[in-house]
Amino acid sequence: MVEHGDIRVVHRGGSKINSREPVISSDSRLLLCASGECVKVFSTSTEECIHDLRGHTGLVTGVLLRPSNHLQAYSCSADGTVRLWDFTDGILIKWRSVGKACVCVCTCVCAELFQLVAVHLPQSGDRLVEARELSAVLSDVSSNPAAIAFGRGGEYIVSAKGLQLEVYFFKKQKSYRFSLKENNKKGRKNTFTCVASHPQDDCIATGHEDGKIRLWRNFSHKKEYTYSTLHWHHSVVSSLCFTPEGTNLLSGGVESVLVQWRYNQESQKDFLPRLGAAITHIVVSPDGALFCTSHSDNKITIIQSCVKVSAIIQGLVKGESLSTDLMVDPRSKAMVLNGKPGHLQFYSLQRDKLLFNLDIVQQEYIHQSGLQQFEVVKAAFTASGNWLASVEERKQKDAELELNLKLWMFDEQSQSFVLNTTISAPHEARITAMCFCQSTDSQTTMLALTFMAVDDGPSWSCDFVGAYHSLVPECCTFSADGSLLAVSFQEVVTVWSPSSWELLTTLSQPPGAIRDLCFGKLSCSKYLVGTTANNLLCCWNLLTCALEWSTSMNTSLLLADPLSENMAAFLNVHNVDQIVVFVFKPNEPRPLYSHKAVCSGNVTRAVFAPREEMLDSCEESSQWLNHSQLYFLTQCMDLMTFTTKAEEARQMAASKQLVIDDSIAMTPFHLLLGKHRGQQQQQESGQDSLSAERTPLPQGSAAIKELLQTPAHILPSTSFLCSMFVQSLLISVTDSRSETKHVEEEMESEKEEDSEEEEIESRAVRPPEMARCGQATETATLTKAQVKELRRVKKLDHGWLSSVLDL
Amino acid sequence: MGEFKVHRVRFFEYMPSPIRAMAFNSRTDRLAVARGDGAVEIFNFADNYFQEKVIPGQDSRAVEALCWVGQRLFSAGLNGEITEYDLENLRPKYTVMAYGGPAWTLSMSTECFLCQVGCEDGTVKMFEILEERIQFQRNHDRQKGRIISLSWHPSGTHIAAGMMGMIRIFETETGSPANKEVVVWSVAFLSDHTVISGDSAGKVQVWDGFTGTLIKTHLITKWDVLALSDQSSLVAGTSEGTVTQFQFLPLIVGQQDKEWVRTRTFKNHSHDVRALAHTETAVVSGGMDTQLVVQPLLDRVEKNTQESALRKIAFPHRSLVCCAKKSGLLLFQFPEHLELWRLGESDGHGKPGDSLPVRKKPEKLIHLKRKGEDHICCSALSPCGGWLAYTTVSSVRLYRLQYNNNSISIKKLPKLPKELCSAHQLCFSSDSSKLFASSKHSSVIVVALGQSECKYLHTLKPKSGYGTTEQPVHLLFVSEDSKWLAAANTGCEIHIYNLNKLKLHCTVPVYSSCPTAIAIHPVTSNLVTVHANQQIFEYSLAQKEYTEWSRKLQKQGLHNLWLERDTPITHISFNPNNQAHIILHDMFMLCIIDQSLPLPDRKTLLYNQMTLRSVPESERLRHSHAFKICKNFQHLLCVSTLEDQALVVVERPLLDIMSQLPAPVRQKKFAT
């Protein structure tokens, strides 16, 4: 077995953005949130991720603006470091090791100096203030950061745990404790869940498990404290927040309704209902213009202060169970899995962004625990991506199982799936597996188990119902050309012909029930590979109907790459409790690649996602990553993938480039020319001439693409851009004949011009207003370069330009 | 514990009347409560919230407002009169007509001895409080609507009047209106010239009294805010039955700027809260649901003390039931009438805990309506069932009852001795030959009953002298052998009279707490007294000293759980078959004290009847102690022994009372 040093397992996308409360920058333009091991910076207006702040090696556990400099932010991490970032540029300024794992960070402004307080896990028992002159000690602090808040002007700190509220005054160095009775008569729970402190008055708001909010006052007295109670929520209040002026109090909980209470006029309240999922955090921007709520479905909603939703940043939705497997939509290359309850989500792995949710169940989801509602349990795509099949089920305690099989057709017009057929109760029992026949002819067959075939003529109808010794079929798969269907019944694999629906042969390798079945692809399509529960990996040759080879390994998951012959198997190493990955080709029992200690705990789901652009690694060990990338979900629902060093380096470079782009004043020319510079740097770094020759074509289109993908708020007015496009169109038409010849020459001439431009750019690093003043002159000097650039652009991409013009 | 045949009586349809007004006198720690039927009750908050005095109501008197001036109590009602009460003789002292139609509100200035009455016709009338009476001084400018509420500024220079739709502030010197508008049930005038109003729109509003500007509005209910009371904080009662507290708090700790902030909300009532009083440590509220609730403010009292417990006073602290032991008759007293019932009979035998089949149903014999306007204040039935007497503030009536097989005849005795013009308490001797009536100055009038006439015999008086009070007698008890008469008054004195000699035998040493029940043992002639603070004493009349058992009890102290009960013992009786048994009851339990058994110490389980039942017969004696408490019967009004080893238990379940109340304001409850 070979270990390959240059391939490593990384977190790539889909990490939680709702684990800690986000932070809004003081100008309300940017939103920072902890996401896995990095801090993501989003634009509040376009929902776009502007950049990642990478550097922590553990989970980021808190982000905070630096009170003394509103362009800098602190982040702390489970790796025990606190880092200071310039978040507009994404630069790490300094870092400091705290030694123990920080759970959360709170700061507050206190005249000139600021305090950074790290709360340690309860076992260390203490709260350590790493400040210049203050050192407070509060023992027994809740690990939930929502249960700690700083009071007015940082004079005191409030912490709630269990049934006790503790207020510590820094000046007097004195703390007051108030406790509540465990239950009142009606059996309601009084446990504290969160606290918030009024920015101007001495008033503390606490949320409770029974949905009550208490407003505490006069808490600087042991006995004469007093509180009033607000009650709207019917279950736990999970987050509370005062607006910066203290005029409103925001609260949220499982009901997924944001409630806005008027401070001191508590009978008046505003609601923002139907936020989609339980609210976990509420944050208000420093100027009070934006509210921001995190939700349990990995979503951040940005709300204007007039209680109107303005933007939604959606991460990968990970429910408790992932009943549909991970799939890849052949059209959009997006990963598809259960999303919100009753939905399928399409998640772009490349851009780490949720593309859209497809409402499968089409019923209102009721946000209440303990209700049995319809859930999507299976889904399958055809190879072309034209059809989608989905299965939803609901099992209520005493009622019969309710099943719906839905078939969705892709509608070119609306560019989404449209419900074509609903088959209610297709089977009597649970559907165990479902797949489409991958044939190319119009007759598409879809198969669902407990073994029934559904046919598509003009309409979908049941074509055939088969059974084998009245056993329960476990998994099924079609061969690549659609001529064979393999279905496993416990230890037996049956092979059927989809055209005539006859049982061709049975294969069996007892003991042990079959777990996974895969047909080989391309050159290996004569092989059928299966894993059994009895630690066997078998490969049958379908031409001879005989076992080609088998090996004994405890495979938990087996899957085939649709774009190559490769297959991946995840192995459970029992005594080590770690997962090993093997990649192999079915025609030889020899691993192409293996990786030990991928992660701890079981791998539940995995998928090969095709790459957008092929990698051309010639190393044998990393060749299997050329066409597609292997993503997998660990037990704690982290999405991981394998990546090579070269790929990482490229991504790093790309992200760097983007960062620089953002830091420079945004003019349309810069967007075009900034690319030139990057390209030039690449050329200078000594790549071979072949790649240099090839790159101009995609590079040019990428520049335009960049122009389109850049968040709208940093682009100049559309009228300005539009004339540019039209101009480019005209020029390209006139020169279209000669342009192919000229490519080489242009490239060289560009090199010279670029060096000039660089000088200009270095001057152009100045406030945006000045850049804008200078625009007119720059246009004049740069017209030539621009014309060339646009000429090249035209040649590349006629299709989209026409569509832009259509719009 | 002893076995009894129990008559479980549930046909006493006692209905307390709603609370209309309240006034707390912080100097004497007494609360005056006016009820819907015009009765006024005085509670002593210092003495375990004991209901010390009851002034019976009157048909025409509907009290709308109550007010203390020093020790004097005034009321104003819808009959347009201002009444001062004679608290020693438990009757109205005098009434003064206000001549302004129904009087809605009454407010006293403690500074300058003035009282103002708000009337239906829109006038605020000012009366001067003189030594013995009140005198009309002048009218303020007449307003358009009726004056609903009044509140004096503590300095006495201004008064705020809440009206239909507005608040007016009068200068008491000139009587000219100052101004401002809202809808007002209640106003409070604070010392810093802040006026706080509660109105029918559900708002509590804070006004600047100088300029008449609105400072702050708190919307606390969808319905009416009916009552306000202030002390250090402000409380507002609403039609929903909630009481909301407001506190004057600094917004920033340590700064002077203070604001009225709504803090706690209590919900102890099912119906409108009509009256509120704010004491130093608690909020007292009462309303349509007839209960008086004392809600302690936890920031003012020590935690986990008797003071910190919520208290609900549902039943009067005196007896409304009289039981004729020998004839098995029950007399129920209502403000308007009396009911005489014969108990049912049963000849079945069963195990303890069984309910026996009723052979003969209880039967209502007489429904006697009272004469005149005054409500019945006390009634009595002779042990033989042949005599019935009741008294109002103005008169005493005595009836002779005769039973002929199934018919019953009732005859009023036409001529009563003139000494017997009114009484606070009535009592018959056990041989039904004498009637005792307590009269003014703690005296007791003795009347001999003949076949169809009665004769005044004597007036028993306590020795007047230093230290004796002239409080009204509220408890009378005649010993079984008619030798002794015990009379207890609200001044905590208990006088023992020798009836053979018709003179004062002795006075029991005065204890600080008011006696709630007294009884003389039929065999040993020991006087057993129970006091408002739950203490029990046994006093030997022969030796004129506390008995050995009583001393032992005092030395060892009563059990904490016993002392923590919040309803007083209202009856004492003795088990005729076992002279060591004393039977006591309060609202929630029935207790038999066995004097032969050891007293419980602090660590033993007080309520041990259930555990005793589970231990074997032989060990029971070792575990048992003197206090045998039975909670099978709840909401007790009376427990009394009959001659044939039977017990009468009169219950009035609170749920029955609740169900007879008018429907409360309908409220949408979440998830209904």
Side-chain angles (χ1 to χ4, degrees), chain A residues 108-173:
Chain A
C108 72
V109 194
C110 185
E112 286 294 293
L113 57 109
F114 69 93
Q115 305 155 15
L116 186 68
V117 179
V119 182
H120 295 279
L121 280 167
Q123 82 255 8
S124 66
D126 283 349
R127 163 181 280 267
L128 184 127
V129 181
E130 207 183 75
R132 265 149 233 176
E133 57 180 40
L134 289 173
S135 162
V137 177
L138 277 188
S139 57
D140 199 23
V141 179
S142 164
S143 62
N144 179 8
I148 294 159
F150 272 100
R152 172 182 56 85
E155 290 199 357
Y156 52 89
I157 186 166
V158 190
S159 144
K161 189 181 190 193
L163 291 162
Q164 192 166 306
L165 182 76
E166 187 169 0
V167 183
Y168 180 86
F169 286 87
F170 289 110
K171 273 195 190 135
K172 286 190 266 178
Q173 305 243 326

Side-chain angles (χ1 to χ4, degrees), chain A residues 48-59:
Chain A
E48 206 70 35
C49 176
I50 292 171
H51 44 238
D52 295 349
L53 308 177
R54 289 173 191 277
H56 283 295
T57 51
L59 278 180

Side-chain angles (χ1 to χ4, degrees), chain A residues 82-237:
Chain A
V82 176
R83 287 167 196 247
L84 179 64
W85 306 86
D86 180 337
F87 60 86
T88 44
D89 299 339
I91 298 166
L92 175 66
I93 296 171
K94 56 181 165 189
W95 68 285
R96 158 194 307 147
S97 172
V98 175
K100 291 165 188 164
C102 304
V103 175
C104 77
V105 194
C106 315
T107 69
C108 72
V109 194
C110 185
E112 286 294 293
L113 57 109
F114 69 93
Q115 305 155 15
L116 186 68
V117 179
V119 182
H120 295 279
L121 280 167
Q123 82 255 8
S124 66
D126 283 349
R127 163 181 280 267
L128 184 127
V129 181
E130 207 183 75
R132 265 149 233 176
E133 57 180 40
L134 289 173
S135 162
V137 177
L138 277 188
S139 57
D140 199 23
V141 179
S142 164
S143 62
N144 179 8
I148 294 159
F150 272 100
R152 172 182 56 85
E155 290 199 357
Y156 52 89
I157 186 166
V158 190
S159 144
K161 189 181 190 193
L163 291 162
Q164 192 166 306
L165 182 76
E166 187 169 0
V167 183
Y168 180 86
F169 286 87
F170 289 110
K171 273 195 190 135
K172 286 190 266 178
Q173 305 243 326
K174 201 171 170 192
S175 72
Y176 297 95
R177 293 205 176 111
F178 312 106
S179 44
L180 290 175
K181 265 184 259 168
E182 189 167 359
N183 281 321
N184 61 15
K185 310 178 266 248
K186 286 160 196 154
R188 297 237 170 89
K189 288 186 182 128
N190 279 334
T191 317
F192 286 96
T193 53
C194 52
V195 296
S197 152
H198 194 278
Q200 263 125 46
D201 294 350
D202 281 326
C203 173
I204 298 170
T206 59
H208 297 262
E209 214 154 80
D210 58 356
K212 279 187 183 138
I213 298 168
R214 287 189 168 89
L215 293 174
W216 299 74
R217 289 189 178 85
N218 227 16
F219 41 78
S220 57
H221 299 89
K222 192 94 209 121
K223 245 181 103 186
E224 280 162 33
Y225 71 91
T226 179
Y227 60 78
S228 51
T229 311
L230 312 176
H231 201 173
W232 182 85
H233 295 277
H234 68 70
S235 49
V236 189
V237 181

